[in-house]
């Protein structure tokens, strides 16, 4: 059945006109066509440097695939593949900027997830997890089917921040995510004893992450927020290549030292062609819990200036506020614990903007572009 559906999609795509070449779509550009339970996912190999030109073709192919009887949803991404890109353009492909992933190690196909967004920073402790949890909770509260994945296998934060120590159940050989605050969540922390030190070597980290992506029954999600581990080393680079990210949100505190790391983080995503959705300044200024007096203890505004310098969007700022930490520590993100607060409103504003950008309904056109 599945193969029949894939075949039907392939036949339908033969009739799509490629607006770039003005000829029927070259079926050799189709990579990794996957059809399962009415969900279709495929990649189109295009020359890397012309990815934006191919956005109309991507949309046309997605529409044609969606129109095939039996297809419930279709996701098409653009991918830079040296051989096929050359075939498609008739020109040599640009040299790869990122290290090649070994054969068979390209991005995973996750057809039932609309957009995967990384929340990252170069530096540890700047508030990635707090931001990821609040953004995800705000997205879920706005009606989006939202998942939250803790990619930090060394120091998982989700069990504490979601206030759950439930062990995930399994069904039909698949792991069921924890459901909390309207979110589907997964973290290595749900599977191991909190007190057990986790010592993972590189490949095991990737293995754990891949399991959490591919063996967890996420169901259909509009958006999956990934709380990334700190750093910009090989593990993070591989992760950004293996997970089909639609974009990354960079969290930074205003200090120069954090901004240098944020810049490194941005460069890492650029290397693997993951669009930067924007920068958030966390702990932007201090709000006194007694009198609400505001002081710029870390030199507020650094991330905004940095965003301007890098041509990235400045998404907003969050103060250093006791209530943000206390609610996170108590297991209910502030957007839910204190929905009337200014901070909850700021998270909601940022979440709306990030979701819209990642899901492509507003903001600059962003080709879905992944590196194979
Ligand atoms: N805006 C804020 N106001 C007050 N406390 C905050 C704020 N943001 C984060 N925190 C607190 O700072 C600490 C570090 O935050 P968090 O764990 O989110 O950072 P992280 O970047 O994910 O860290 P790691 O690099 O270890 O994963 C936590 O105790 C959290 O509650
Ligand atoms: Mg964290």
């Amino acid at each position: 059945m599945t193969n029949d559906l894939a075949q039907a999609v392939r036949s339908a795509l033969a009739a799509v006109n490629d607006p770039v070449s003005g000829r029927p779509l070259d079926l050799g550009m189709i990579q990794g066509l996957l059809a399962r339970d009415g969900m279709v996912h495929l990649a189109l190999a295009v020359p890397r440097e012309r990815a934006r030109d191919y956005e109309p073709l991507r949309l046309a192919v997605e529409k044609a695939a969606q129109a095939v009887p039996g297809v419930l949803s279709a996701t098409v991404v653009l991918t830079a593949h040296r051989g096929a890109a050359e075939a498609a353009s008739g020109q040599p492909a640009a040299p790869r900027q990122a290290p090649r992933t070994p054969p068979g190690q390209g991005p995973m196909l996750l057809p039932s997830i609309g957009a995967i967004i990384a929340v990252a920073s170069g530096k540890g402790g700047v508030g990635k997890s707090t931001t990821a949890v609040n953004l995800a909770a705000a997205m879920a509260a706005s009606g989006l089917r939202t998942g939250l994945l803790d990619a930090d296998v060394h120091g998982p934060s989700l069990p504490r921040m979601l206030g759950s120590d439930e062990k995930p159940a399994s069904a039909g050989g698949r792991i069921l995510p924890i459901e909390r605050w309207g979110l589907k969540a997964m973290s290595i922390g749900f599977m191991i004893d909190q007190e057990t030190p986790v010592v993972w070597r590189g490949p095991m980290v990737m293995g754990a992450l891949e399991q959490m992506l591919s063996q967890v029954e996420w169901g259909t999600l509009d958006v999956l927020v990934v709380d990334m581990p700190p750093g910009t080393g090989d593990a993070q680079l591989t992760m950004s290549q293996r997970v089909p990210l639609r974009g990354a949100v960079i969290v930074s505190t205003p200090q120069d030292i954090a901004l240098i790391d944020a810049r490194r983080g941005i460069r890492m995503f650029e290397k693997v062609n993951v669009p930067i959705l924007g920068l958030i300044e966390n702990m932007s200024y201090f709000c006194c819990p007694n009198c609400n007096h505001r002081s710029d203890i870390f030199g507020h505004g650094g991330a905004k200036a940095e965003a301007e310098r890098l041509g990235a969007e400045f998404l907003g700022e969050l103060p250093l506020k006791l209530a943000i930490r206390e609610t996170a520590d108590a297991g209910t993100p502030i957007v839910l614990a204190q929905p009337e607060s200014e901070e909850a409103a700021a998270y909601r504003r940022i979440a709306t903007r990030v979701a819209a950008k990642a899901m492509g309904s507003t903001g600059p056109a962003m080709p879905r572009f992944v590196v194979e």
Side-chain angles (χ1 to χ4, degrees):
M1 279 294 129
T2 299
N3 287 343
D4 290 350
L5 188 59
Q7 196 47 52
V9 170
R10 194 173 277 279
S11 309
L13 298 190
V16 171
N17 198 42
D18 177 353
V20 179
S21 69
R23 292 197 298 269
L25 173 70
D26 170 4
L27 295 182
M29 291 166 76
I30 300 176
Q31 309 271 308
L33 172 56
L34 192 84
R36 199 188 60 202
D37 302 332
M39 285 180 289
V40 171
H41 193 287
L42 65 96
L44 289 176
V46 302
R48 172 195 306 277
E49 63 285 0
R50 296 195 61 195
R52 276 183 194 276
D53 299 343
Y54 279 89
E55 179 62 8
L57 176 65
R58 187 189 72 75
L59 289 172
V61 168
E62 208 165 64
K63 201 168 155 207
Q66 254 150 13
V68 172
V71 172
L72 301 175
S73 81
T75 310
V76 176
V77 298
L78 299 179
T79 179
H81 184 278
R82 184 183 281 269
E86 284 169 16
S89 67
Q91 296 161 5
R96 297 181 67 89
Q97 295 170 323
R100 279 192 81 99
T101 41
Q105 296 287 298
M108 264 174 284
L109 299 176
L110 295 162
S112 61
I113 301 180
I116 306 183
I117 303 166
V119 176
S121 72
K123 193 171 172 347
V126 296
K128 287 176 296 298
S129 303
T130 311
T131 306
V133 169
N134 276 289
L135 293 184
M139 287 175 192
S142 77
L144 292 174
R145 291 166 296 185
T146 309
L148 181 57
L149 171 66
D150 192 346
D152 194 344
V153 296
H154 293 286
S157 314
L158 285 198
R160 177 172 53 90
M161 291 197 179
L162 292 178
S164 172
D165 55 7
E166 212 182 304
K167 294 274 168 272
S170 62
R174 315 232 338 130
I175 306 165
L176 303 180
I178 299 297
E179 306 226 2
R180 188 80 167 151
W181 309 126
L183 295 166
K184 289 187 177 171
M186 187 44 70
S187 165
I188 199 85
F190 292 132
M191 302 199 242
I192 53 156
D193 189 332
Q194 295 277 16
E195 306 307 317
T196 314
V198 194
V199 184
W200 299 89
R201 279 176 288 143
M204 289 174 71
V205 171
M206 279 315 294
L209 190 75
E210 293 190 351
Q211 273 190 358
M212 288 195 284
L213 272 167
S214 60
Q215 291 176 24
V216 168
E217 193 54 57
W218 291 105
T220 302
L221 293 180
D222 296 310
V223 56
L224 176 67
V225 177
V226 182
D227 176 14
M228 294 283 282
T232 49
D234 280 351
Q236 286 80 6
L237 186 65
T238 313
M239 203 175 281
S240 344
Q241 281 182 294
R242 290 289 290 126
V243 178
L245 293 171
R246 187 68 63 78
V249 171
I250 307 289
V251 180
S252 181
T253 53
Q255 303 98 314
D256 287 346
I257 182 79
L259 286 164
I260 291 169
D261 286 326
R263 218 170 290 153
R264 242 181 242 138
I266 290 173
R267 262 189 240 121
M268 180 188 81
F269 285 110
E270 282 175 349
K271 263 194 208 164
V272 289
N273 283 304
V274 171
I276 301 299
L277 299 170
L279 257 76
I280 297 176
E281 185 166 283
N282 190 36
M283 312 190 194
S284 186
Y285 51 92
F286 175 68
C287 259
C288 171
N290 299 319
C291 61
N292 229 16
H293 173 73
R294 168 181 170 150
S295 36
D296 294 347
I297 49 174
F298 296 139
H300 156 253
K304 185 167 192 195
E306 187 63 25
E308 274 164 20
R309 217 178 61 77
L310 296 167
E313 178 171 341
F314 181 65
L315 292 164
E317 58 190 27
L318 272 309
L320 175 66
K321 194 164 184 181
L322 191 60
I324 295 183
R325 188 183 64 70
E326 281 178 343
T327 50
D329 281 349
T332 312
I334 196 166
V335 292
L336 303 173
Q338 299 178 12
E340 309 299 330
S341 63
E342 270 178 46
E343 293 71 41
Y347 280 124
R348 279 195 297 270
R349 260 195 317 274
I350 297 173
T352 306
R353 179 68 187 143
V354 167
K357 270 184 107 168
M359 294 164 72
S361 56
T362 61
M366 291 218 306
R368 296 172 181 186
F369 190 55
V370 295
V371 174
E372 222 173 49

